[in-house]
Amino acid sequence: MKKTNILNNENDLVLIGAARLMEDVFESGLYRGMKTVEKKMDCIKKTIRKQFENGESKRYELPHDVIVKFVPSPVYETDELGLKEFLKDYGLLPQLITLKAKTFKDEPDILVELTPFQEPMKFFAQFYLNSKGKLHLDNEEYFYEDSIELLAINFLKEKSSFENDQKKYKKIMGEISACPFLRQSRTLKSTYGTCRLRSKDVEFNTQSVYNELGSEFLINYGQVSLTSLEDFIAKGYFSSRDIMKFRKVIDIKLRCVVMEKDKEIKQSEFFHQQIMRKTNLRRFA
């Protein structure tokens, strides 16, 4: 039987490792502060969206170099079977397919068969708050004036605070996930709740599965990796037009993006570099 903490006396726990770090996250005010800023940011963005969503333009410049953009985000219906058969004909099926354990939750016998092909497991820590921990959630409602000037100022202020909190929080969560006590017990309790080590969905080596079980297995159970697909398009294996034969746009949603102007410039430079990289990949493929 695994112990989750060390008993000091009958009622007290000596907090160790991840549990101590979890305690610090709450007692330092980091958790509540992060959740508060997150709610404020969400409220500011919703208010900004309402201001501009019925406008004719898709991009607006606010005071203090704040940019508001409405970015089209297509929703696709994909002929997965047809696309997989297409990739099979190109001999690229195992390179462009992912195979995850959750697909087989109702077929345990197949999971057992796939055990030899399992990739190394990856873990992450997650908090489960008790009544004391939930007191650190922010239940306040926030409202902002419709003044464009004030919205821009508040956005910059809260975004800076949010990014600082997120950086600290991610660093601590990384330390918590690596905690040897948590790795051993998988669960540690603290004053504010329980910290548990959870595993990400197990994945399998698709090339090995293909070698042993064949292409039909991947066609029946695998999912096409659209990210990898983009890379193979860039390398010139096939064109976007070839892939779009298997994908139909069924809706286009508009995402409202709020950012600083310098971030927009950096983003534009990054996309340009990506285009150049793909062009070079195609040239030397």
Side-chain angles (χ1 to χ4, degrees):
M1 181 177 174
K2 293 178 179 177
K3 295 180 180 179
T4 56
N5 288 85
I6 300 171
L7 284 173
N8 189 17
N9 54 50
E10 284 189 15
N11 299 313
D12 296 329
L13 286 172
V14 175
L15 299 170
I16 57 175
R20 178 67 262 170
L21 288 169
M22 180 180 178
E23 201 95 341
D24 292 342
V25 167
F26 287 88
E27 293 182 352
S28 68
L30 175 61
Y31 190 86
R32 183 176 180 84
M34 184 179 66
K35 291 297 179 184
T36 296
V37 173
E38 195 171 19
K39 284 190 73 172
K40 288 181 177 180
M41 284 282 291
D42 187 53
C43 182
I44 292 168
K45 287 179 180 179
K46 285 179 179 176
T47 306
I48 290 175
R49 178 170 188 139
K50 285 180 183 177
Q51 288 269 18
F52 296 101
E53 62 185 349
N54 294 321
E56 295 182 1
S57 178
K58 298 301 179 191
R59 181 184 180 277
Y60 300 89
E61 292 196 15
L62 276 57
H64 308 289
D65 287 332
V66 173
I67 304 298
V68 179
K69 297 196 295 186
F70 288 87
V71 182
S73 181
V75 179
Y76 293 98
E77 184 178 79
T78 303
D79 175 10
E80 282 270 339
L81 180 59
L83 183 53
K84 290 172 188 174
E85 292 286 358
F86 171 82
L87 297 176
K88 176 187 172 184
D89 291 341
Y90 270 81
L92 296 171
L93 190 64
Q95 292 96 315
L96 292 169
I97 288 287
T98 60
L99 205 56
K100 298 183 179 181
K102 65 181 179 183
T103 306
F104 309 99
K105 61 182 179 180
D106 298 322
E107 301 181 81
D109 291 343
I110 295 180
L111 268 180
V112 172
E113 188 178 5
L114 289 173
T115 301
F117 314 115
Q118 183 175 315
E119 299 281 14
M121 292 184 70
K122 297 177 181 178
F123 298 92
F124 66 97
Q126 187 167 345
F127 293 160
Y128 294 84
L129 307 185
N130 59 20
S131 57
K132 283 190 176 181
K134 288 176 182 177
L135 293 175
H136 287 256
L137 296 173
D138 188 348
N139 296 315
E140 295 292 328
E141 293 294 329
Y142 296 97
F143 302 93
Y144 288 88
E145 297 292 335
D146 290 341
S147 160
I148 300 302
E149 171 86 16
L150 290 176
L151 284 171
I153 291 171
N154 281 313
F155 169 76
L156 294 173
K157 172 191 167 188
E158 301 301 344
K159 186 172 186 293
S160 176
S161 178
F162 181 70
E163 288 175 346
N164 288 334
D165 286 348
Q166 279 280 291
K167 186 175 180 181
K168 293 174 188 174
Y169 185 72
K170 284 180 179 179
K171 181 176 183 296
I172 293 172
M173 291 306 291
E175 293 172 359
I176 287 175
S177 298
C179 168
F181 300 109
L182 186 61
R183 289 273 175 166
Q184 182 181 12
S185 67
R186 298 295 178 91
T187 299
L188 290 172
K189 292 184 178 180
S190 83
T191 308
Y192 303 101
T194 302
C195 184
R196 291 180 184 161
L197 191 68
R198 297 187 56 190
S199 60
K200 294 184 179 180
D201 192 29
V202 173
E203 295 191 24
F204 303 96
N205 186 298
T206 49
Q207 185 62 58
S208 299
V209 173
Y210 173 80
N211 293 341
E212 289 293 322
L213 304 177
S215 61
E216 288 307 308
F217 187 90
L218 295 184
I219 289 173
N220 289 334
Y221 296 106
Q223 288 185 315
V224 177
S225 168
L226 297 178
T227 303
S228 300
L229 201 59
E230 285 290 329
D231 285 338
F232 276 77
I233 291 171
K235 293 173 184 176
Y237 283 86
F238 33 72
S239 69
S240 295
R241 186 175 298 176
D242 292 328
I243 301 304
M244 287 309 297
K245 292 175 184 176
F246 305 98
R247 306 190 78 202
K248 181 173 70 174
V249 177
I250 58 173
D251 193 13
I252 297 179
K253 297 182 178 180
L254 285 179
R255 290 189 302 113
C256 181
V257 179
V258 187
M259 64 173 66
E260 302 99 317
K261 193 170 186 176
D262 65 327
K263 292 284 178 67
E264 182 190 38
I265 293 169
K266 288 177 182 177
Q267 191 179 79
S268 178
E269 290 173 349
F270 173 77
F271 286 144
H272 177 71
Q273 289 169 2
Q274 291 295 95
I275 291 170
M276 293 302 296
R277 182 182 72 85
K278 290 177 180 179
T279 301
N280 289 332
L281 282 173
R282 193 177 292 112
R283 185 182 301 157
F284 297 110

